[in-house]
Amino acid sequence: MKKENAYMRRVVKLTSALAAVALLVGGLTPAASANTEIKGAGASFAKGFMDECISQYNATRPAITVGQYGSVGSGSGRSQLLAGTTAFAMSDGYWSGTQVNRANDFIFIPFAGAPLTIPFNVPGVRNLNLTAKNITDIFSGKVTKWNDKSIRQNNRNAKLPDSSIVVVYRSDSSGTTQAFTQYLSQHASDWKEVGVFNTAFQPAGSIGAPQNQGVMTAVRNTQNAIGYVDYADASTGGMPMAKVQNGVGQFIAPTLQATNLFLAAQPLPGSKGYVTPRYKVSKIKGAYQLGVYTYYIMPKRPARGVIEFAEYVLRTCGPTRAAAVKYNALSGKMQTYALGQIAKATRP
């Protein structure tokens, strides 16, 4: 009987010990057991901003790290998020095609702004003024020569050559293209908003290149070329950028200050979280009228760290670091709106 009682006491002790270990292991949070890494991918337009904020975030929040940003283009970024291979995405355009069917499972959040620039490579020409009609005609192939009368009339001091214009466009699924074609479609009825520069919008002799960095490289390496590129890449690309005529008739160079004048006058997004800028009807003195927002997309029930990173960017990294890497930080009502969008998510 004594042996049996001793045996039972040993069994109880062993069972209690195993239960304690199970509770200890089961109670560990990911932060306590190991660093958590979240990954995101998407818009190449946002690459410079995301690289900077990820670096800053990882330096100050070592328990939750963000992996290297995948600059794959807005369309691919949205697809990866839908497939569950990333925790968040960046996009300059809204859901397209069948992706719209999943829109209610995610939250669109304005994250930063920036000028969408038009770099060009015309030998001997460093200053170029373009109207909205010039831009739509060039990118549709209606105007094919640099010395076309419609271009010369606003560039009387420029020695524009009798050379064919080479349009460089995004060959991948691109939010930058979505934003650019929004601008074009608001100024010309024969344009449609598309995610890809398809065959209807490829002038003869044009060149397709992936991502903003690819377009900038193609413009730099091709004489008489013109393209559309984010401000960060254009600023380091070594090519001049066109001045774009705004709603009050001024030709304005792309700068953060001039772009902020335009973006600050745009309406807040609606329930979708996405706003289409009023490119044609805005009349703002001194504004660069080709400003673009880039967006952070996360599930309504995101992984741990996704909300914290977004809040850090909007509250800290954007206000302190955006301008240094050629982006406009959100402020005022737009920043408040973006933080409100984050609050809709369920914290894990």
Side-chain angles (χ1 to χ4, degrees), residues 56-319:
Q56 296 289 327
Y57 180 77
N58 286 343
T60 57
R61 305 290 179 95
I64 304 173
T65 61
V66 181
Q68 183 177 2
Y69 177 68
S71 177
V72 296
S74 296
S76 293
R78 296 192 302 264
S79 294
Q80 289 185 28
L81 181 62
L82 289 172
T85 57
T86 55
F88 66 86
M90 291 296 298
S91 179
D92 312 320
Y94 196 63
W95 302 106
S96 61
T98 58
Q99 293 179 343
V100 175
N101 298 330
R102 296 282 307 281
N104 289 335
D105 298 329
F106 298 88
I107 302 172
F108 245 76
I109 304 162
F111 225 40
L116 176 52
T117 73
I118 302 179
F120 61 93
N121 181 357
V122 181
V125 179
R126 300 297 298 178
N127 294 294
L128 183 67
N129 296 326
L130 294 178
T131 65
K133 182 168 175 53
N134 291 151
I135 296 168
T136 56
D137 286 350
I138 287 171
F139 282 88
S140 65
K142 291 180 179 179
V143 169
T144 61
K145 294 283 189 177
W146 276 113
N147 66 346
D148 188 273
K149 181 181 178 180
S150 64
I151 301 176
R152 284 191 289 110
Q153 66 183 10
N154 291 310
N155 295 279
R156 300 191 184 281
N157 295 325
K159 295 182 179 180
L160 295 166
D162 183 23
S163 301
S164 295
I165 299 172
V166 181
V167 167
V168 182
Y169 64 92
R170 284 286 293 275
S171 60
D172 54 336
S173 182
S174 161
T176 306
T177 294
Q178 284 181 276
F180 188 52
T181 53
Q182 283 174 357
Y183 174 87
L184 298 173
S185 67
Q186 288 182 30
H187 288 94
S189 59
D190 54 346
W191 274 90
K192 295 181 180 179
E193 295 176 20
V194 293
V196 178
F197 227 80
N198 63 25
T199 54
F201 307 128
Q202 292 178 11
S206 58
I207 299 172
Q211 304 173 21
N212 278 274
Q213 298 79 21
V215 171
M216 191 66 245
T217 298
V219 171
R220 184 173 58 247
N221 294 338
T222 308
Q223 283 195 359
N224 298 307
I226 188 169
Y228 54 99
V229 177
D230 69 285
Y231 187 50
D233 283 300
S235 296
T236 59
M239 290 289 104
M241 295 169 265
K243 294 179 180 178
V244 176
Q245 189 178 48
N246 64 18
V248 295
Q250 299 171 306
F251 289 97
I252 303 294
T255 66
L256 295 180
Q257 182 179 8
T259 302
N260 194 58
L261 290 174
F262 172 72
L263 292 176
Q266 302 311 302
L268 290 175
S271 58
K272 291 182 178 180
Y274 179 81
V275 60
T276 300
R278 296 170 176 172
Y279 291 118
K280 186 175 182 179
V281 300
S282 295
K283 298 184 183 298
I284 309 157
K285 186 177 180 180
Y288 179 75
Q289 212 148 305
L290 229 178
V292 174
Y293 282 116
T294 190
Y295 299 82
Y296 185 83
I297 314 173
M298 66 179 179
K300 288 184 176 178
R301 294 181 175 274
R304 185 169 175 266
V306 172
I307 292 175
E308 291 82 356
F309 175 62
E311 290 176 331
Y312 174 82
V313 171
L314 289 174
R315 295 183 187 277
T316 303
C317 184

